[in-house]
Amino acid sequence: MQDLIKRLIGKKSPSGDESKAASSSRGRGTPLDIRKLVAPLALAGTIAVAALFGFQTVQAFLTNRASANIDSVSTALKQQLAGYISEQQQALAEALVHPEIERYFGSPDAGDAARALSAVQEKMPQVQDIRFVGADVLGEIGLDIGSFGYANAEMLLNAARLGAPAPAQVHGVRSTQRELVLVNPVTIDGRIAGFALAKLPYLPVREVFLGPSHGGLKIALVQGESRGAEAVIEGSMQTGMTSTAVPGTMMRIAVAPATPLIVLGPSGVISNGLLTAMALAIAVLITLWRKNPELLERLLHRQSEASVGTVAERAVEEAKLAAQKAVNKAAGAGRPAAPPQQTPEPRVPQRTVAVDHSIFRAYDIRGIVGQTLNEAIAKLLGQAIGSENRARGHKTILVGRDGRLSGPSLSDALISGLVESGCDVIDIGIVATPVLYFGTYDLSAGSGVMVTGSHNPPEYNGFKIMLGGETLAEQDIQALYARIAEQRLDSGQGALTQMDIVENYIERISSDIQLETPLKVVIDCGNGSPGAIATRLFESIGCEVVPLYCDVDGTFPNHHPDPSDPHNLQDLIVSVKQLKADIGLAFDGDGDRLGVVTPSGNIIYPDRLLMAFARDVLVRAPGATVIYDVKCTGHLAGVILGHGGSPIMWKTGHSLIKRKMKETQAELAGEMSGHFFFKERWYGFDDGMYAGCRLLEILSGDGRDADEFFAELPQGVSTPELKVPMAEGDHYRFMDRFRDRCKFDGARITTIDGVRADWPDGWGLLRCSNTTPSLVMRFDADNNEALIRIQSLFKSQILALDAKLLLPF
């Protein structure tokens, strides 16, 4: 430090002779010594740097203060927009009660339509145009959506399904001719005679949105279901924005703090404040040096001596400890101790283990034991995961495993790598994956790794990873491979403890859920890890439980633990019927997925289960966002909208859904595979057992049997997931070709995950599985004819690319 300051200011204490010589030199008019300007310039520069970082500190502080207002600003904007839309829909409903409207639906000729429009404009002069459609919306639209307008058709179909106003939309978003569009049912003599599609000026919507003070926040008004595919109405979408749905519309309000003006360095308040303090401290040191160099030299010299002493003392202590360890080790081995040697800094040895990149999948790590996965790879993964955990500021991490035969050895190897990376590990033994997720919250650890092959065959195993409350997916998974490949692995010595948290999990659920009336439940765990806990859990909430295949057996001797395959539910169906049970529940191999069977033996697919969950959650969380994946039925969005929620379609994958939930602050999500994510009253992770408890709570309070309850939910004709096995990697290459070449006339195409084509009467999907090398298809329609037509369209285009594929339809 002393040498640094001397070099910085380039100044020495002048002796008496030197002073005289300098004075004489100045008197003779010799050039000024540039070194004498260094100290003032350094002082001025340091003060300037302190001012810069001080300014940035203020900027960061103001940004943080604005961030605290995000929720209040977002709520205020949402309420004002929702209020305006509600007023317009109510005004339209009142304007449609008119004799001319009744006459139009009695004889819809052109003259009556004009008079009907005039009648509406008497009460709502702001209506620019209106279109009337009969009660059979699908029949009037037909398949000619192109000329009718897909956005118009979608709104009319939504209103027809709901029997209520469709969520309002802004049309012409990407043009200058924007309009607010409302669709209301026309009710005559207590029945819906048709629908009115009214177009209103957009400008009032803009004024309502931009009117209130935004407190220095960046705001945007967008429309659509998924990030990246939404249309921006006002403002601009930016990274880090959080969005909230506007009830009664397809619009969302996105808010983010304004970016602070940062010229140099970090953007945080604390970091800028520290840099400001450091710059000021250096300025003070320079000032002291100029005024009294001898005093500062003495202070620096004293500090240097103290520092050297501290380092030396520490070195002695470390040497003593190293020597003592060597003595103890030698004494334990019965031989004289070798003299202590200097111990080098710990380094991670060079790794020669070959790691197959293919096991690093979209939302977990998964491979075949003995081929692409073994103990050596598991240990490397442990060290990579531990290194990443520490890089994110965490040290403690939980480890659990399912009941697979390879679980103990892979878990031990994983733990060894985690401990070697310097992480403290809590081993919770054989548990269902949701119990591990619960433990990361209950123990405030934030991080956990589950050793599980999920619903895959017995020879598979893998790792689901949560770090700091975030389930790793996509690039974060690939980053672990990069750590291993580049040998960026930490070395340390963590601690290992064992803990049983199952009772905590059961107590947490049973303290919140208790059935109003007891239900008889058959539970099929498929010999997976949920079998160790399921019976106790469901008995604790008031069920009479009949266990089926609840002994944990990693060979899965009875059937494959995958409730999404109807073949795996046949034993459950027979048991429910014979035992006259109220419901049958099935779980996958690690308990994060749910399957349901009614007393009559009907399988309730997960997208219809999500309808029931959404109706229940939206009672307590009106206007909440509900996320579903691309494999779910087209009826689901209508149910969510009809109960005041905001639907978002998103990519398949538990990690991707959880990330989207955080981004949108959703209260509920679900996948066609049977993953359900409750944020309302729970933690937001996927939990098949908890979802089963919530379903029983709903049925117990409803009073009807399960068949009657589900009969009132919309249901079309649909297929389960249809899979076409392929060689590893071939399914991705095929999907790329299909996405580039497919063409579906009259359909709305969604490509956020594979290719989904939606028509007014149904839809089809082709995507890649991210857990096994296969193509996945699903089809859903209003009737058999539409289903066959859509399947034929997909089949012809799939076989045009590869005629040798054996399609299951």
Side-chain angles (χ1 to χ4, degrees), residues 84 88-89 91-93 95-96 116-132 179-182 196-201:
Y84 174 76
Q88 300 305 306
Q89 286 178 329
L92 179 59
L96 290 172
L117 171 58
S118 298
V120 171
Q121 288 177 330
E122 287 178 10
K123 296 183 178 180
M124 285 189 76
Q126 66 268 38
V127 172
Q128 298 171 332
D129 192 15
I130 197 163
R131 183 167 185 173
F132 296 102
E179 301 168 313
L180 174 64
V181 181
L182 307 177
L197 185 147
K199 297 184 178 181
L200 286 70

Side-chain angles (χ1 to χ4, degrees), residues 633-668:
T633 176
H635 294 290
L636 179 55
V639 171
I640 296 168
L641 289 165
H643 288 81
S646 177
I648 293 181
M649 181 191 295
W650 195 237
K651 301 175 184 179
T652 294
H654 67 95
S655 301
L656 309 179
I657 293 287
K658 279 178 275 195
R659 183 175 295 175
K660 191 67 175 178
M661 286 185 74
K662 284 189 175 182
E663 176 192 321
T664 61
Q665 300 177 11
E667 295 289 343
L668 174 67

Side-chain angles (χ1 to χ4, degrees), residues 180-321:
L180 174 64
V181 181
L182 307 177
V183 174
N184 275 31
V186 178
T187 303
I188 300 175
D189 296 331
R191 65 177 181 83
I192 295 178
F195 299 88
L197 185 147
K199 297 184 178 181
L200 286 70
Y202 165 71
L203 185 58
V205 176
R206 186 175 192 272
E207 291 174 346
V208 170
F209 177 69
L210 297 177
S213 171
H214 305 137
L217 298 172
K218 292 183 178 179
I219 61 170
L221 182 63
V222 300
Q223 182 169 270
E225 293 186 346
S226 58
R227 188 172 182 86
E230 71 275 271
V232 179
I233 303 173
E234 295 290 346
S236 60
M237 286 296 288
Q238 300 180 17
T239 303
M241 276 188 157
T242 58
S243 63
T244 183
V246 179
T249 78
M250 289 296 290
M251 291 176 275
R252 307 180 66 80
I253 294 169
V255 185
T259 305
L261 180 58
I262 301 299
V263 179
L264 180 68
S267 59
V269 174
I270 296 177
S271 51
N272 274 285
L274 288 174
L275 288 171
T276 303
M278 289 175 60
L280 290 173
I282 292 174
V284 170
L285 288 174
I286 294 173
T287 304
L288 286 175
W289 180 266
R290 294 185 66 208
K291 291 188 174 182
N292 195 339
E294 291 82 4
L295 173 63
L296 188 60
E297 280 193 28
R298 287 197 300 272
L299 288 174
L300 292 173
H301 183 67
R302 191 174 302 165
Q303 182 181 4
S304 177
E305 286 181 343
S307 298
V308 170
T310 302
V311 172
E313 290 168 5
R314 189 181 302 118
V316 170
E317 289 298 321
E318 289 178 353
K320 288 180 179 179
L321 287 173

Side-chain angles (χ1 to χ4, degrees), residues 92-163:
L92 179 59
E94 293 173 0
L96 290 172
V97 181
H98 195 284
E100 287 295 345
I101 306 297
E102 294 186 23
R103 274 192 288 272
Y104 170 81
F105 282 99
S107 176
D109 57 56
D112 288 338
R115 288 194 297 272
L117 171 58
S118 298
V120 171
Q121 288 177 330
E122 287 178 10
K123 296 183 178 180
M124 285 189 76
Q126 66 268 38
V127 172
Q128 298 171 332
D129 192 15
I130 197 163
R131 183 167 185 173
F132 296 102
V133 178
D136 183 12
V137 174
L138 187 59
E140 291 203 23
I141 294 174
L143 296 178
D144 190 17
I145 299 179
S147 61
F148 192 90
Y150 185 87
N152 293 334
E154 182 183 42
M155 292 187 71
L156 287 163
L157 288 168
N158 275 337
R161 287 173 182 153
L162 299 172

